[in-house]
Amino acid sequence: MSESPPTDRPQFDWQQTMLRIKDPKITIPFYETHFGFRTIHTYHFEEWNFSLYFMAIFPEGMAYPEPNTKESEQLLWNLPRGVATLELTHNHGTETDESFVANNGNVEPYRGFGHIAVMTKDVYAASAELEANGVLFKKRPDEGRMKGLAFALDPDGYWIEIVRRDAECDIALPFTLAQTMIRVKDPEASLKFYRDILGMNLVRSSDMSDFSLYFLSHAPPDSVDRMVYEPVI
């Protein structure tokens, strides 16, 4: 884990995390209403029977165009560093298919993708407000062995981790998109892939009793103290 990263790594930015959804008429308002996401741009591929909805939480003061315009498409593929999107993929017809169940990545034998995470000033207050507004929870802040963080559930059963924002951070937004979690088999191999091939930096690691966390970002290591894009466990 201590091997120095190469100096000629490619320049990439983390652009999106894709979730496959049952009904955009339910899932899109959920993220807009409860977490402050905004739709940037939408693609409909009628010939292949699917649509893509790109959403993001924009930084305070950032101007953004009307969705589904030439300007919004330009923004989508030229996002400023620090802004990542949710790509919600809807296969046409699933909204009326009672057998459709999204694989959230947390049930054996398909445990791989874990969750997205958002940061907020007060996890307890935010969780209480979300629950009062009808959001379901997998874990409330004081449940389980890890206190002070929560896991909400979106309409398709994906987990949304809610974690506390750094106390010194002056961001006033109720929520900011912080990270995407995926499980890996071999951390040495995965870290090398994300670092050497995709140009990410290892920002922080934490060893627990039965698992380890590795946080990676495309931003320089010394500039990331509150926003982390990609933890791999």
Side-chain angles (χ1 to χ4, degrees):
M1 303 286 182
S2 61
E3 181 183 352
S4 298
T7 58
D8 58 346
R9 293 180 299 171
Q11 294 299 309
F12 290 109
D13 285 313
W14 193 266
Q15 202 271 350
Q16 62 187 245
T17 294
M18 188 276 273
L19 304 177
R20 198 176 303 278
I21 65 173
K22 179 181 177 72
D23 189 344
K25 292 181 180 179
I26 295 175
T27 301
I28 290 174
F30 173 88
Y31 280 101
E32 291 175 336
T33 300
H34 298 299
F35 293 97
F37 282 83
R38 293 179 179 272
T39 299
I40 304 175
H41 201 74
T42 302
Y43 292 100
H44 298 291
F45 299 98
E46 300 296 342
E47 65 273 35
W48 296 306
N49 296 314
F50 74 96
S51 296
L52 306 177
Y53 301 85
F54 291 88
M55 308 185 75
I57 299 176
F58 292 100
E60 296 166 293
M62 177 179 167
Y64 47 88
E66 282 292 316
N68 303 321
T69 60
K70 290 182 179 179
E71 291 78 13
S72 68
E73 185 173 34
Q74 177 72 11
L75 172 63
L76 173 62
W77 302 115
N78 294 277
L79 290 168
R81 173 159 286 189
V83 179
T85 69
L86 287 184
E87 177 192 356
L88 304 181
T89 297
H90 172 234
N91 294 96
H92 301 169
T94 56
E95 66 274 19
T96 58
D97 182 358
E98 295 300 323
S99 67
F100 174 85
V101 177
N103 180 355
N104 66 22
N106 294 295
V107 179
E108 296 289 4
Y110 305 111
R111 295 181 76 232
F113 175 82
H115 57 260
I116 62 170
V118 294
M119 284 183 174
T120 191
K121 181 178 180 180
D122 186 330
V123 174
Y124 291 86
S127 297
E129 182 176 352
L130 288 169
E131 190 164 21
N133 289 328
V135 175
L136 301 179
F137 275 74
K138 178 70 177 180
K139 174 195 174 306
R140 297 177 180 86
D142 275 341
E143 294 177 341
R145 63 177 179 174
M146 299 182 73
K147 311 301 182 185
L149 59 85
F151 282 92
L153 295 172
D154 85 350
D156 297 285
Y158 293 107
W159 296 11
I160 305 170
E161 186 180 19
I162 303 171
V163 295
R164 184 178 63 83
R165 188 178 291 136
D166 189 296
E168 298 180 0
C169 183
D170 59 1
I171 294 176
L173 292 170
F175 295 101
T176 48
L177 181 61
Q179 61 198 36
T180 297
M181 187 277 271
I182 58 176
R183 295 178 179 88
V184 301
K185 180 177 181 178
D186 183 343
E188 289 277 3
S190 292
L191 286 171
K192 186 173 182 180
F193 173 83
Y194 282 104
R195 184 196 64 199
D196 299 353
I197 306 300
L198 295 186
M200 303 184 88
N201 295 302
L202 179 62
V203 176
R204 188 177 74 223
S205 61
S206 301
D207 292 317
M208 310 300 181
S209 59
D210 55 350
F211 66 92
S212 296
L213 300 172
Y214 303 93
F215 294 85
L216 295 101
S217 170
H218 281 113
D222 59 359
S223 71
V224 181
D225 56 357
R226 303 181 184 94
M227 289 289 289
V228 183
Y229 301 137
E230 179 68 3
V232 183
I233 67 172

